[in-house]
Amino acid sequence: MDVKRVKDYIYWLYYQYLLVTCSYVLEPWEQSMFHTITVTVVAMVVYTAYVFVPIHVRLALQFFSQMFGAQPEGSV
């Protein structure tokens, strides 16, 4: 893939982000604060999903397997 096309695509995505969030009307210091908060929130959501979703999926699978009559692993 052409490097210039990838670069243009990334600029286009960033421009779309600015348009969707309406942050293009902010002053530079406000934009940096907004971007910092946005990146922080997204990072916390990704970390929380990475840590806690597998635990909840495992517990839900155990619950439903017991509910539908599967034997617990320790009773075999």
Side-chain angles (χ1 to χ4, degrees):
M1 203 172 203
D2 189 18
V3 175
K4 184 175 178 354
R5 286 180 51 197
V6 171
K7 184 178 167 185
D8 289 341
Y9 182 69
I10 291 173
Y11 282 138
W12 180 78
L13 284 176
Y14 179 69
Y15 182 68
Q16 292 297 313
Y17 164 75
L18 290 176
L19 289 176
V20 168
T21 59
C22 297
S23 60
Y24 63 91
V25 297
L26 300 175
E27 293 183 15
W29 70 272
E30 292 172 329
Q31 274 189 352
S32 65
M33 291 293 290
F34 179 77
H35 296 320
T36 302
I37 292 169
T38 303
V39 167
T40 303
V41 168
V42 167
M44 289 189 312
V45 167
V46 167
Y47 174 75
T48 302
Y50 177 74
V51 170
F52 293 110
V53 168
I55 295 169
H56 289 291
V57 168
R58 182 177 53 83
L59 291 174
L61 288 174
Q62 285 178 352
F63 173 75
F64 286 116
S65 67
Q66 289 175 0
M67 184 182 246
F68 292 120
Q71 292 181 351
E73 294 177 14
S75 67
V76 174

